[in-house]
Amino acid sequence: MLRQIEGSAAVAETVARCRPEVVCAYPISPQTHIVEGLSDLVRAGDLSPCEYMTVESEFAALSVCIGAAAAGARAYTATASQGLLYMAEALYNASGLGLPIVMTVANRALGSPINIWNDHSDSMSQRDCGWLQLYAEDNQEAADLHVQAFRIAEELSLPVMVCMDGFILTHAVERVDVPEAGPVDAFLPPFEPRQLLDPAEPMTIGAMVGPEAFAEVKYLAHAKQLQALDTIPAVAAEFEQSFGRSSGGLVRGYRLEDAETVVVALGSVLGTIEETIDAMREEEGMPIGALAIKTFRPFPMEAVRAALQGAKRVVVLEKALAVGRGGIVSADVRMALSGIELDGHTVIAGLGGRPITGASLRRLFGDAVAGRLGPLTFLDLNWELIEAELGRMGEGGRSGPHAENILREVGVVAGGSH
Amino acid sequence: MERHQRVRFYQVGSHVVGNRLLDPEQRTVQARMDRSNTLTCGHRACRGCGEALGARYVLDAAKRAADGKLIAANATGCLEVFSTPFPETSWQLPWIHSLFGNAPAVASGVAAALRAKGRDDIRVVGQGGDGGTVDIGFGCLSGMFERNDDVLFVCYDNEAYMNTGVQRSGATPPAARTANTKPIGEHLGNRFGQGKDLPRIAMAHGIPYVATATVAEPHDLERKVETAMAIHGARYLHVFVPCPLGWGSEAHDTIKLARLVKETGLFPVFEAVEGEVVGVSRIRRRTPVEEYLKLQRRYAHLFGDPGHPEIVARLQAGADRNIREFHLLDPAGEEVAW
Amino acid sequence: MADSGTFQVRIHGRGGQGAVTAAELLAIAAFDEDRHAQAFPSFGSERTGAPVVSFCRLSDRPIRTREPVAAPDALIVLDATLIHQVKLFEGLGPDGYLLLNSSRSLEELGLSDLLGRLRPGRILGIPAGEIARRHLGKPLPNAALLGGFAALTGQLGLPSVQAAIRERFPGTAGVANATAAAECFYTVRECVETPSHA
């Protein structure tokens, strides 16, 4: 049903339609409204049978899901940022055990310094933990991806992370067609586990595997993720048939047909990017397009290559940073374009929730087209501040903590707006 | 005053000792032909391993009480490692090992799944060593207690991180030698501290049932498992299990050490319901701690010439305090004859 | 930056005054009129009394951009004490609307310069807090101001604003807030020329 609804609420209702049997909740901004919404639905009897567990940490949350999924229950939890890190050990455990847990990650920056606003550093930090990673562009897609995620997870016996930008999507009230129970039930059959803790057929799950077999087990995990490259588009196609709208899949091109410059990005920033592209095409006739990466793990090498190979120049706009190296998504994109000659640019933007404005993007894309963009750019940095702080470091001796120094310069500490 | 000589027949109060001559109903589960061998033979535990013994006793009793329908979640540690050398397993029940610190949470998850599916006939046990319970699993254990999840959690306490090479844990007793608490420098062996009394911490959570036991008294241990299994909610069982390798004791002394730790008062054996002690297993023949300590090379630095009698005295004082606080001595007198 | 079909609103208040709810109510009212809307807060530190900003975009077409509203077509200010504390009026163009909760005149508030920059009939101070107090018993101006916004800008009709209010605040609170919104609407309409919204 079409509603004007907060992103978190849409996700909570959609997850409820997927009939999870065990939901674990540990609160962290900005995921809190999702787990609160699910609590209300369980208490009101709208989601039943479902055990809603309030746990004592994110590590516990995912561990409870692991036990529940191993016992054959459809299990769900949500987290962000520090919480995702706190369950890192369990992330690898869940994927290694092949448990089809679905988890929402309300993308938020990783500290230190502590920051509650949006960027992709949390999910990017766990890109290799063996979970599938899907990224939503808007709240409609965020809701839809959960339905697809349970289906994909259970078909492949792999856990799936649905990533949605914290605050920007979770706390935005916009139009969402929240899937109805009937169509979701038709799309998502009951969970039939491949392995199960069942006294009628006792199994040992989680034994140690030594050098003689470990490599094979890991290869099979990789092979299964590659299988997802077929499963994900198939499920997306079936979703479109059942629900009448396109969402999910591996990648989505926007005005790529004659694009000489292509901007690659994940998540909600694509909305602002597309508006900017439309304006540049209309006002300047600029042949510029965009490529949305919807599935980041497995990385859709072939689909990205196919979409970008005709371009002269690719600008990868990322909301995360590989400290000491540069771009994260760019590295995978570069790999996909192996052997193809074109100009590649990495732009790091939006870190810690800094807004990415249409005006900035317009200038940035203009610079790219005019050949003024270097290989690695940090968008909208306050270079004066940076220079001052670097200067302070260069003076020798103790310079103090960067974060506090910068906050003092910016006047935030005294300004009282925080 | 006339002194009564009371002949007390240990553990079952019968005139017969020895399982074969006992009334079948009085036999332990272990003595029965139909015991489930939940932890069956072929595992790779050391000779004389107290944990293997404890796990077998506990799970056979629990499985019997659950009518065969039991699921176990196991923390990383000796028990998990020696019981599941890939591609073999000694477990004859559905069993999952996830991580070191999350066994209580995994058990809670299994219990939640069963509840959602309406399978209240299937019961759940979580288990791990002292490291996984008292230290790294502590947060998850406390959460499980606070939620009163329907899980029986069992800690097999051999007082150190054994599987990684005998490093100290929060459960390591004072003065004990481990790989990182050697008798070098100011502190000889593990430091004297407050300890981390998990049974009392469990009681402080107000959960339905807490009990301690040792592998020296299978009747007592099994009875406590049965009592626990008749209750729904969070339950905690703390089982003292000697480790010959880690303690430097003889494999054939495992049961003896388990008996002595109780008889000295160093390990109070008791039961508690909703935070109140409701019963203790009294000391039969009070024993000085030295008799227990001398059998273990982890305490060897306390003896010899000149030894450290002052440290032994401190350990004795600890035992004496337990005896007082838990009323471990029979009020009728210290010496009890057969 | 917005395309020509999108109307951008920025709402300033203090924590606890309902700035975030106000933006959501605008979005819900727009939805009731079959328009697209996007509402979101600026996510500062949450505490009562701290400055809060929220945003709402209204459009006849799907809204894709996600950046904060830098160039608002309309500003709603719930708390006049913010005037000289935060950069309230940044980005407001010469054709912009401003609706300010205050019982003092704009000159008294030190906004004569602003009055000079903006079009007359588009900038207005209204004692929404007082109106709210009379209907609700509490000076919570957010719902009332939305009625004023509807009249000032013509972007939304009063019935949809009231429907959104009643949906959000059940029972007597909803009725009282809706009545306050109506009073504000008519008061504003009397004061200014209202462009018709086709």
Side-chain angles (χ1 to χ4, degrees):
Chain A
M1 192 173 99
L2 199 60
R3 315 252 296 276
Q4 186 81 15
I5 186 176
E6 193 194 55
S8 302
V11 168
E13 292 199 22
T14 307
V15 168
R17 304 269 198 280
C18 295
R19 302 189 188 276
E21 292 163 281
V22 175
V23 171
C24 302
Y26 188 81
I28 182 168
S29 299
Q31 139 274 41
T32 46
H33 292 183
I34 299 175
V35 291
E36 288 164 18
L38 281 164
S39 171
D40 290 347
L41 289 166
V42 171
R43 281 172 180 253
D46 293 334
L47 170 53
S48 170
C50 179
E51 291 293 316
Y52 184 89
M53 309 259 294
T54 49
V55 289
E56 66 284 358
S57 76
E58 287 91 351
F59 176 67
L62 190 55
S63 298
V64 170
C65 285
I66 285 168
R74 185 169 281 163
Y76 168 83
T77 190
T79 193
S81 179
Q82 314 300 129
L84 187 67
L85 288 196
Y86 197 50
M87 54 164 76
E89 205 194 352
L91 287 174
Y92 281 80
N93 189 254
S95 63
L97 292 176
L99 297 170
I101 298 164
V102 171
M103 175 165 71
T104 311
V105 176
N107 289 116
R108 167 185 146 178
L110 286 177
S112 172
I114 183 169
N115 173 299
I116 62 167
W117 293 270
N118 162 258
D119 72 27
H120 289 165
S121 51
D122 53 4
S123 54
M124 284 298 159
S125 79
Q126 301 307 310
R127 61 191 182 278
D128 298 326
C129 68
W131 285 54
L132 303 187
Q133 284 195 354
L134 311 177
Y135 285 78
E137 282 184 54
D138 54 31
N139 282 324
Q140 180 67 66
E141 189 163 48
D144 294 345
L145 282 178
H146 285 86
V147 179
Q148 297 185 35
F150 280 105
R151 178 75 181 270
I152 294 163
E154 290 169 16
E155 255 181 53
L156 293 171
S157 285
L158 274 181
V160 179
M161 239 180 252
V162 179
C163 301
M164 63 189 291
D165 286 322
F167 287 131
I168 297 177
L169 290 183
T170 55
H171 286 58
V173 173
E174 58 191 50
R175 200 178 264 228
V176 176
D177 188 351
V178 181
E180 305 276 338
V184 175
D185 282 338
F187 189 81
L188 197 59
F191 174 31
E192 293 281 346
R194 270 181 215 180
Q195 62 174 3
L196 177 64
L197 292 171
D198 179 4
E201 269 186 61
M203 286 190 70
T204 289
I205 299 176
M208 181 180 281
V209 173
E212 54 291 323
F214 188 84
E216 282 70 23
V217 172
K218 275 299 177 187
Y219 179 81
L220 287 167
H222 175 67
K224 195 125 56 106
Q225 276 231 7
L226 295 182
Q227 220 183 301
L229 290 170
D230 293 323
T231 310
I232 289 170
V235 169
E238 203 186 309
F239 185 90
E240 183 164 6
Q241 266 211 329
S242 304
F243 293 85
R245 60 180 171 266
S246 157
S247 60
L250 298 176
V251 301
R252 180 179 67 86
Y254 184 73
R255 303 187 84 164
L256 286 182
E257 315 73 46
D258 59 339
E260 286 179 5
T261 306
V262 182
V263 181
V264 182
L266 287 75
S268 66
V269 71
L270 282 153
T272 315
I273 289 173
E274 286 175 18
E275 294 237 336
T276 309
I277 283 172
D278 283 354
M280 290 176 90
R281 272 188 177 265
E282 200 176 295
E283 292 161 34
E284 300 170 54
M286 188 87 70
I288 180 170
L291 182 69
I293 297 183
K294 310 274 199 179
T295 296
F296 186 67
R297 281 296 180 267
F299 190 77
M301 290 279 181
E302 279 180 35
V304 168
R305 186 187 183 87
L308 297 179
Q309 62 189 356
K312 277 209 197 118
R313 144 191 338 106
V314 169
V315 177
V316 180
L317 189 89
E318 326 201 13
K319 278 185 177 178
L321 170 64
V323 176
R325 194 223 173 279
I328 297 171
V329 177
S330 318
D332 288 355
V333 170
R334 213 168 291 266
M335 185 97 186
L337 292 172
S338 177
I340 296 178
E341 279 285 325
L342 50 71
D343 285 339
H345 306 273
T346 302
V347 177
I348 310 292
L351 294 183
R354 178 158 301 173
I356 301 174
T357 66
S360 277
L361 288 181
R362 185 127 186 200
R363 269 193 304 274
L364 177 75
F365 300 160
D367 284 345
V369 168
R372 289 191 293 268
L373 208 59
L376 178 65
T377 305
F378 286 78
L379 188 68
D380 290 345
L381 243 56
N382 183 332
W383 290 104
E384 229 177 272
L385 264 183
I386 304 267
E387 303 299 334
E389 188 63 13
L390 287 173
R392 192 174 293 122
M393 274 168 67
E395 274 154 34
R398 295 193 228 177
S399 53
H402 293 310
E404 279 68 20
N405 290 343
I406 288 177
L407 284 173
R408 202 176 299 119
E409 290 285 338
V410 168
V412 168
V413 174
S417 66
H418 274 64
Chain B
M1 182 171 76
E2 206 183 301
R3 189 178 132 117
H4 289 273
Q5 174 127 350
R6 292 204 292 148
V7 181
R8 289 219 274 152
F9 294 98
Y10 185 43
Q11 292 199 61
V12 294
S14 78
H15 290 269
V16 173
V17 294
N19 277 317
R20 271 197 303 152
L21 300 178
L22 269 182
D23 190 312
E25 279 315 300
Q26 290 187 301
R27 292 182 195 170
T28 58
V29 171
Q30 288 305 308
R32 293 171 202 270
M33 291 297 289
D34 63 352
R35 74 169 187 262
S36 37
N37 268 333
T38 317
L39 176 67
T40 194
C41 55
H43 60 71
R44 312 295 205 255
C46 299
R47 196 167 58 134
C49 172
E51 187 165 9
L53 205 57
R56 174 156 61 93
Y57 290 170
V58 168
L59 288 166
D60 280 353
K63 203 170 182 215
R64 181 158 205 266
D67 212 20
K69 288 179 268 180
L70 188 70
I71 296 178
N74 212 129
T76 309
C78 267
L79 180 60
E80 165 260 323
V81 170
F82 72 62
S83 65
T84 56
F86 187 86
E88 300 168 20
T89 179
S90 338
W91 295 106
Q92 304 205 88
L93 89 171
W95 179 96
I96 180 166
H97 160 242
S98 171
L99 298 167
F100 198 7
N102 72 357
V106 174
S108 292
V110 173
L114 295 171
R115 223 164 30 243
K117 292 180 182 297
R119 292 301 305 266
D120 54 4
D121 55 323
I122 304 177
R123 310 299 303 281
V124 182
V125 162
Q127 56 185 8
D130 50 288
T133 307
V134 164
D135 289 343
I136 196 171
F138 190 63
C140 286
L141 186 67
S142 176
M144 185 271 272
F145 287 165
E146 187 274 320
R147 288 188 300 271
N148 201 28
D149 291 333
D150 191 7
V151 170
L152 166 61
F153 198 86
V154 185
C155 174
Y156 304 104
D157 185 5
N158 52 24
E159 303 185 332
Y161 288 94
M162 293 310 187
N163 197 241
T164 45
V166 196
Q167 294 83 21
R168 70 89 75 188
S169 77
T172 302
R177 177 202 184 103
T178 66
N180 52 3
T181 60
K182 294 195 182 128
I184 299 168
E186 188 192 333
H187 300 278
L188 300 177
N190 194 33
R191 291 183 192 223
F192 275 82
Q194 320 84 259
K196 201 170 187 189
D197 191 337
L198 228 314
R200 281 212 255 211
I201 292 170
M203 283 163 60
H205 283 71
I207 57 176
Y209 186 72
V210 174
T212 67
T214 79
V215 288
E217 300 183 337
H219 282 271
D220 179 69
L221 176 53
E222 289 188 0
R223 185 185 57 76
K224 285 166 175 168
V225 172
E226 266 172 53
T227 304
M229 291 301 288
I231 299 169
H232 286 265
R235 296 143 287 140
Y236 181 70
L237 187 57
H238 194 105
V239 185
F240 182 86
V241 297
C243 170
L245 187 67
W247 297 5
S249 57
E250 296 298 326
H252 59 247
D253 277 343
T254 292
I255 306 291
K256 183 173 184 178
L257 285 168
R259 187 174 305 126
L260 286 173
V261 81
K262 177 198 160 184
E263 297 293 281
T264 55
L266 282 168
F267 185 81
V269 176
F270 66 91
E271 287 175 283
V273 169
E274 283 168 16
E276 305 275 340
V277 175
V278 298
V280 299
S281 180
R282 299 197 195 279
I283 291 170
R284 297 185 300 123
R285 187 187 289 119
R286 188 173 188 175
T287 310
V289 297
E290 238 179 78
E291 264 186 54
Y292 163 75
L293 302 172
K294 271 191 155 150
L295 294 173
Q296 308 163 60
R297 283 197 298 285
R298 64 175 174 158
Y299 291 112
H301 54 282
L302 301 180
F303 303 104
D305 185 14
H308 288 276
E310 78 285 2
I311 296 179
V312 176
R314 269 182 96 175
L315 294 173
Q316 184 64 60
D320 294 345
R321 189 168 52 245
N322 285 342
I323 291 173
R324 274 196 314 275
E325 285 182 14
F326 284 90
H327 309 288
L328 296 177
L329 286 172
D330 189 283
E334 288 188 23
E335 294 291 329
V336 181
W338 276 104
Chain C
M1 60 197 175
D3 63 74
S4 50
T6 303
F7 190 90
Q8 304 194 103
V9 185
R10 195 168 70 213
I11 304 174
H12 290 268
R14 292 188 183 277
Q17 290 175 336
V20 176
T21 306
E24 288 178 17
L25 289 171
L26 282 181
I28 292 168
F31 179 76
D32 282 348
E33 291 184 15
D34 230 359
R35 298 182 73 199
H36 292 266
Q38 178 199 80
F40 56 102
S42 70
F43 330 114
S45 312
E46 310 261 338
R47 66 177 192 280
T48 327
V52 169
V53 190
S54 63
F55 311 99
C56 184
R57 291 187 167 96
L58 307 170
S59 176
D60 294 320
R61 294 193 316 227
I63 300 165
R64 290 175 297 171
T65 193
R66 297 276 170 190
E67 58 183 296
V69 172
D73 297 301
L75 274 182
I76 302 176
V77 180
L78 301 177
D79 189 323
T81 66
L82 287 167
I83 289 174
H84 302 293
Q85 291 209 350
V86 297
K87 296 183 181 147
L88 275 187
F89 308 110
E90 200 158 305
L92 187 66
D95 290 331
Y97 296 90
L98 169 64
L99 189 62
L100 193 88
N101 172 33
S102 179
S103 34
R104 296 158 74 195
S105 75
L106 294 170
E107 290 85 358
E108 282 177 301
L109 289 169
L111 294 177
S112 312
D113 277 351
L114 198 65
L115 263 172
R117 276 207 287 122
L118 301 177
R119 282 169 52 175
R122 293 206 168 188
I123 168 171
L124 192 61
I126 183 158
E130 289 305 308
I131 294 172
R133 191 200 302 273
R134 272 190 278 106
H135 293 280
L136 303 165
K138 290 178 283 191
L140 286 176
N142 58 342
L145 277 172
L146 295 183
F149 168 86
L152 184 66
T153 64
Q155 282 288 318
L156 295 166
L158 179 63
S160 20
V161 170
Q162 290 183 308
I165 290 169
R166 279 192 297 266
E167 189 188 307
R168 171 57 65 93
F169 304 109
T172 49
V175 173
N177 271 299
T179 316
E183 186 179 326
C184 217
F185 177 90
Y186 291 116
T187 308
V188 168
R189 200 161 72 164
E190 254 177 65
C191 295
V192 299
E193 70 181 58
T194 311
S196 67
H197 177 64

